[in-house]
Amino acid sequence: MTKTPRGVRVRRAVCKALFVVGGVITLVCVLLPIACWRDDVAIERSMGQAVAQVDSVSFNRTVVRYATPDGRVIIPSQGVLYPAGLSVGDNVRVEYDQTNPELTRVAGRTAVLSLLPVGTFLVSVWIVIAAVVTVLRRFGTRV
């Protein structure tokens, strides 16, 4: 039995690594909408509504401030769910979990909004992986 050339072994290892990375990314992309749906269910189970003011908008979170009917002012530390299109100073209707006011979303927005960006990202990842694996297989040990 002859030993497989080093280039072929490296190519196979890279292909396997790409598939493992793709699998992990796929798992995360499947879990993300499930987590969003779970948050929506928690909010709908004990829903409160309020008008919130947008205090800050950054890449990773949008901070809002609102008052509950009992007079408490809530500023969710993780920001508001589904904040697309909000700007500092905007007043926006929010829905929150009365048992956990930290869990707040923009009114009328649900986990369905997570499907398009997550799906697009996932398709893009697999297109890149497929292209790299195709190139590696087509050119064999020359790559």
Side-chain angles (χ1 to χ4, degrees), residues 25-72:
I25 290 172
T26 299
L27 178 65
V28 170
C29 286
V30 167
L31 292 176
L32 182 63
I34 291 171
C36 292
W37 173 77
R38 196 194 77 180
D39 288 344
D40 286 348
V41 167
I43 290 171
E44 289 165 7
R45 197 174 294 145
S46 177
M47 186 185 302
Q49 296 182 338
V51 175
Q53 180 177 2
V54 179
D55 286 345
S56 75
V57 177
S58 65
F59 172 75
N60 60 342
R61 76 179 172 164
T62 299
V63 176
V64 298
R65 174 190 316 261
Y66 63 92
T68 61
D70 62 1
R72 292 185 304 156

Side-chain angles (χ1 to χ4, degrees), residues 5-137:
R6 182 171 188 240
V8 172
R9 289 193 316 266
V10 169
R11 179 178 49 84
R12 286 180 185 160
V14 169
C15 289
K16 286 179 185 178
L18 285 172
F19 284 125
V20 168
V21 168
V24 170
I25 290 172
T26 299
L27 178 65
V28 170
C29 286
V30 167
L31 292 176
L32 182 63
I34 291 171
C36 292
W37 173 77
R38 196 194 77 180
D39 288 344
D40 286 348
V41 167
I43 290 171
E44 289 165 7
R45 197 174 294 145
S46 177
M47 186 185 302
Q49 296 182 338
V51 175
Q53 180 177 2
V54 179
D55 286 345
S56 75
V57 177
S58 65
F59 172 75
N60 60 342
R61 76 179 172 164
T62 299
V63 176
V64 298
R65 174 190 316 261
Y66 63 92
T68 61
D70 62 1
R72 292 185 304 156
V73 174
I74 306 295
I75 305 171
S77 61
Q78 298 300 313
V80 66
L81 300 172
Y82 320 121
L86 299 181
S87 300
V88 173
D90 287 351
N91 287 323
V92 62
R93 293 200 55 75
V94 294
E95 300 167 340
Y96 61 93
D97 180 357
Q98 290 179 338
T99 61
N100 177 16
E102 286 283 317
L103 189 55
T104 304
R105 70 178 178 199
V106 175
R109 299 182 184 180
T110 64
V112 172
L113 292 174
S114 69
L115 297 177
L116 181 62
V118 168
T120 303
F121 175 73
L122 192 56
V123 167
S124 301
V125 165
W126 281 106
I127 287 172
V128 169
I129 289 172
V132 171
V133 168
T134 300
V135 167
L136 288 173
R137 287 185 176 168

